[in-house]
Amino acid sequence: MTGASDIQQALKEEFGNEAISGANLEAIDPWIEVAPGSIVAVSTFLRDDERFLFDHLNNLCGSDYLQPDPKKAKSFEHEPHVEVVYHLSSFTHKHRITLKVKLPRWADDVEGQLPACPSVASVWAAADWHEREAYDLVGIRFTGHPNLRRILCPEDWEGHPLRKDYEFPLEYHGIRGK
Amino acid sequence: MTTELQDPRIVEYDVRTDEMLVNMGPQHPSTHGVLRLLLRTDGEIVHEVTPHLGYLHRCAEKIGENLAPPQWVPYTDRMDYLAGMNMNLGMSLAVEKLVGMELPEKAQVIRVLISELGRIASHLVGMGAYGLDLGTFSPFLWAFREREIVLDLFEEVCGARLTYSYITPGGATHDLPGSINLPPGLASLTNQSPETTVSWTDALTQFLDWLEPRIEEYHTLLTRNQIFIKRTAGLGVMSPEMAKSYGCTGPVLRGSGVDWDLRRDGEDIYTGMYQGYDFDIPVAPFDAAPPESVLGDNWCRFYVRMMEVVQSIRLVRQAIEKYPTAEGSYRETFKLATKLPADECYLETECPRGQMGFYLVGDGSSEPFRARAKSSCFCNLAVTAPLSEGFLLADIPAIVGSLDVVMGEIDR
């Protein structure tokens, strides 16, 4: 068992403060923020290092931090951004950690241009389908992914449903929507 | 075109064949729901499998972001619709972890009892449907006869037979019922009058007493059946490394020899429920394995499920014993307006098909800001392609069936 602060310490020693850009160790599930460019190296390190051996990717998902509801916006404490969340655990050491990569909502501030995050499908095979799902539903482009296509929605679907500003289609192939 | 596959069952070595694209599903009976597999075949040999999913996609996560957690419970029923109780439990525990709620002993005993009974019902379908995939019809009828009694018992508990919404954040919707009429299926199997009035726990004990010796019959019917062994043993072999890398969980992982079960290795809020219970975790390899079987093949995955039914029976019996003396109420108040703190949590529980995870982000309001359901079958299904390549077309249902996927959970 290794605590989240030890993991953060080891990562900082290995990759420096710039790559490990933040953390919240007081959260119910402590998380460590990793710079997008370092996520593949950090993942590989966490999987292979004898002290950690995070060989199980429990979950990978995206979430869109934007509060479209003006009533709730006042108490909403996050800047608009998109996150990729990695939940890891180790079969050997029975410990868990959460990694986060924060991305802008749109690349270059151009609406419709998906933000890019390096793919970890080469580290854990489980990431392959999960990244396809995050691309499909949240709209994150995983660079270096072997087969980044939609997985749950039809191939010709427009938009990414789990974006907070997603608008429900009024019509799809003659089927009327809302 | 010749093939390098040295399978003695292939007799058509010199027959000229063409490459063909075959669509299996989405309405194929052995795809366990609406799964479509696009197969690139050459004669009888499958070279490439591409699963196409999403036919049942309802974007349950988006729905969850617009509802208070107790309102989202009915949607979790419809994820793994063969184990609705276990889905309810996973989601409720995640919510309780987020708000920091502790449950009274009685609620916890009810949860163990009900979710293990759900596991029995789910594995019975898994076993019966797997027999059906491989062309034997009797186990399916037998399994559904048994499952019917479990559903009758669940109906007495919560009024529903498939989509229960029984376990909710805070405990359960009702206490276990007092006296009931004996379920008709159980009455006819045990030669009693259906008018007989018994307590619910007695009816359950009678069912377990009746089920336990039947498991030996299933072994005769399937596990030790030569045809069954020929169709499963040594096929679809998955190494432990591959199972870990693909994030496989549940019986699929344990069938590959990884000793891992969240009921023992999970987080405290979940393992705490199982404190004081005595149970084993079946992990391949098994002594009962036929000589043809290798670690991580279809047969091992099937046998893990069969063994888990035995363990679940043990757990249910212990829960029945604990229930009368368990202290506290069957539920704590969890209102629709209960505010979720501005924090986040992720919790996985051991469902019959693997580890179902719920990730909730609160923002101080009563609806979660982000609700995510991580499906176990989603990961388990991802191995279909690497497992099936190079095998015969007829082996595809045997491999997909051994993973025991439910599409409602994959597509969410």
Side-chain angles (χ1 to χ4, degrees):
Chain A
M1 283 293 252
T2 318
S5 54
D6 297 333
I7 296 171
Q8 188 200 21
Q9 196 58 39
L11 286 178
K12 278 192 171 173
E13 277 166 21
E14 188 75 22
F15 297 98
N17 282 339
E18 248 167 60
I20 312 301
S21 40
N24 182 353
L25 304 180
E26 270 75 57
I28 300 176
D29 286 326
W31 51 266
I32 297 169
E33 189 190 329
V34 181
S38 312
I39 184 66
V40 178
V42 168
S43 304
T44 315
F45 172 75
L46 284 177
R47 184 195 61 180
D48 295 336
D49 193 280
E50 283 295 320
R51 289 168 292 168
F52 307 121
L53 291 174
F54 282 107
D55 42 8
H56 186 43
L57 176 72
N58 291 70
N59 177 35
L60 186 156
C61 68
S63 37
D64 180 16
Y65 282 81
L66 174 81
Q67 184 51 273
D69 187 348
K71 277 183 223 158
K72 291 181 181 173
K74 271 177 230 157
S75 60
F76 192 68
E77 50 200 36
H78 303 278
E79 287 290 309
H81 69 277
V82 166
E83 272 176 12
V84 189
V85 189
Y86 307 78
H87 291 100
L88 313 178
S89 64
S90 164
F91 288 116
T92 320
H93 298 308
K94 299 189 179 181
H95 53 202
R96 286 175 290 275
I97 192 67
T98 307
L99 300 183
K100 281 188 175 190
V101 170
K102 294 191 180 176
L103 304 165
R105 290 195 76 238
W106 303 109
D108 307 324
D109 277 334
V110 182
E111 193 159 320
Q113 281 214 16
L114 301 183
C117 176
S119 164
V120 293
S122 57
V123 186
W124 299 284
D128 183 339
W129 278 24
H130 278 115
E131 284 178 349
R132 280 177 68 186
E133 192 189 339
Y135 160 73
D136 186 359
L137 300 181
V138 191
I140 296 159
R141 198 162 52 83
F142 288 94
T143 48
H145 189 283
N147 179 23
L148 195 66
R149 289 183 298 129
R150 285 186 184 270
I151 190 164
L152 293 176
C153 294
E155 302 242 329
D156 59 352
W157 195 259
E158 280 175 23
H160 302 279
L162 286 181
R163 285 278 176 142
K164 292 283 177 181
D165 52 0
Y166 173 73
E167 284 177 19
F168 288 90
L170 296 173
E171 191 261 332
Y172 176 74
H173 288 286
I175 308 162
R176 275 205 294 166
K178 196 165 138 186
Chain B
M1 200 174 165
T2 53
T3 171
E4 290 177 6
L5 189 76
Q6 295 302 311
D7 192 321
R9 292 171 301 172
I10 303 172
V11 287
E12 313 175 330
Y13 284 121
D14 302 325
V15 180
R16 215 186 83 84
T17 52
D18 282 329
E19 210 172 75
M20 238 171 107
L21 277 180
V22 181
N23 239 327
M24 194 171 132
Q27 275 88 20
H28 194 280
S30 69
T31 53
H32 292 248
V34 278
L35 167 66
R36 175 176 153 228
L37 296 171
L38 192 61
L39 313 171
R40 194 161 62 79
T41 61
D42 186 1
E44 284 289 302
I45 300 154
V46 176
H47 284 304
E48 194 184 333
V49 182
T50 320
H52 288 259
L53 14 152
Y55 290 90
L56 271 180
H57 182 53
R58 296 142 287 184
C59 216
E61 297 175 10
K62 188 83 172 175
I63 297 170
E65 289 172 10
N66 293 297
L67 295 173
Q71 293 173 310
W72 196 35
V73 170
Y75 291 88
T76 61
D77 278 323
R78 285 149 181 84
M79 289 177 187
D80 184 349
Y81 42 75
L82 294 177
M85 290 292 191
N86 304 68
M87 296 285 119
N88 295 167
L89 176 67
M91 188 260 168
S92 305
L93 276 174
V95 174
E96 285 152 18
K97 183 181 172 190
L98 184 61
V99 300
M101 197 174 207
E102 278 194 24
L103 289 197
E105 192 192 347
K106 190 170 189 178
Q108 299 204 4
V109 171
I110 291 179
R111 282 181 169 191
V112 170
L113 198 162
I114 292 292
S115 62
E116 291 305 320
L117 199 53
R119 194 184 308 275
I120 294 174
S122 170
H123 280 340
L124 282 173
V125 180
M127 177 204 84
Y130 194 37
L132 205 59
D133 287 347
L134 301 177
T136 165
F137 204 73
S138 329
F140 184 72
L141 297 176
W142 289 27
F144 270 66
R145 180 186 64 187
E146 271 74 298
R147 177 172 173 262
E148 176 70 19
I149 302 169
V150 180
L151 296 192
D152 282 340
L153 289 168
F154 279 160
E155 192 179 0
E156 296 289 350
V157 171
C158 63
R161 293 170 56 83
L162 196 69
T163 49
Y164 312 104
S165 310
Y166 174 63
I167 298 172
T168 56
T173 54
H174 308 76
D175 201 349
L176 296 179
S179 61
I180 57 164
N181 280 347
L182 206 60
L186 187 61
S188 77
L189 288 171
T190 53
N191 293 325
Q192 295 177 72
S193 156
E195 315 282 288
T196 320
T197 313
V198 288
S199 77
W200 188 84
T201 44
D202 278 351
L204 178 54
T205 313
Q206 283 189 29
F207 165 67
L208 296 178
D209 289 342
W210 188 83
L211 176 68
E212 216 162 2
R214 294 298 174 287
I215 290 168
E216 190 49 36
E217 291 181 8
Y218 307 145
H219 286 317
T220 320
L221 201 57
L222 282 175
T223 320
R224 289 194 289 273
N225 179 334
Q226 264 311 308
I227 302 170
F228 181 80
I229 292 172
K230 281 246 157 48
R231 295 290 310 271
T232 55
L235 285 171
V237 180
M238 178 154 58
S239 67
E241 290 74 31
M242 182 178 166
K244 285 179 184 175
S245 174
Y246 273 89
C248 294
T249 46
V252 178
L253 180 70
R254 291 190 282 276
S256 288
V258 183
D259 191 1
W260 183 262
D261 188 315
L262 285 186
R263 288 175 288 174
R264 184 193 61 201
D265 306 313
E267 297 188 36
D268 294 344
I269 187 170
Y270 185 53
T271 52
M273 278 170 44
Y274 287 91
Q275 290 280 313
Y277 289 86
D278 188 21
F279 66 103
D280 297 321
I281 291 157
V283 183
F286 298 104
D287 293 338
E292 299 94 324
S293 169
V294 285
L295 183 71
D297 63 358
N298 294 343
W299 191 91
C300 286
R301 288 191 281 273
F302 169 81
Y303 197 67
V304 167
R305 290 193 189 94
M306 297 295 285
M307 290 289 104
E308 280 188 11
V309 173
V310 179
Q311 297 304 321
S312 290
I313 292 175
R314 275 177 75 189
L315 279 162
V316 173
R317 281 191 198 280
Q318 293 171 53
I320 294 173
E321 254 172 51
K322 282 175 200 271
Y323 173 70
T325 53
E327 287 170 6
S329 162
Y330 63 94
R331 71 172 309 167
E332 290 277 296
T333 316
F334 190 100
K335 292 187 183 133
L336 278 184
T338 301
K339 300 272 185 280
L340 303 176
D343 204 337
E344 56 178 70
C345 83
Y346 179 70
L347 183 73
E348 286 194 349
T349 53
E350 190 74 35
C351 289
R353 286 175 181 74
Q355 297 173 15
M356 182 79 192
F358 285 91
Y359 171 59
L360 297 166
V361 182
D363 64 349
S365 71
S366 56
E367 294 102 23
F369 181 73
R370 173 83 168 97
R372 153 101 177 141
K374 177 256 165 183
S375 156
S376 52
C377 295
F378 190 77
C379 297
N380 291 351
L381 182 69
V383 294
T384 316
L387 280 192
S388 310
E389 276 153 29
F391 282 101
L392 297 178
L393 192 57
D395 291 333
I396 305 299
I399 291 170
V400 176
S402 78
L403 301 171
D404 191 20
V405 292
V406 163
M407 292 313 287
E409 188 193 325
I410 293 170
D411 294 343
R412 283 156 287 151

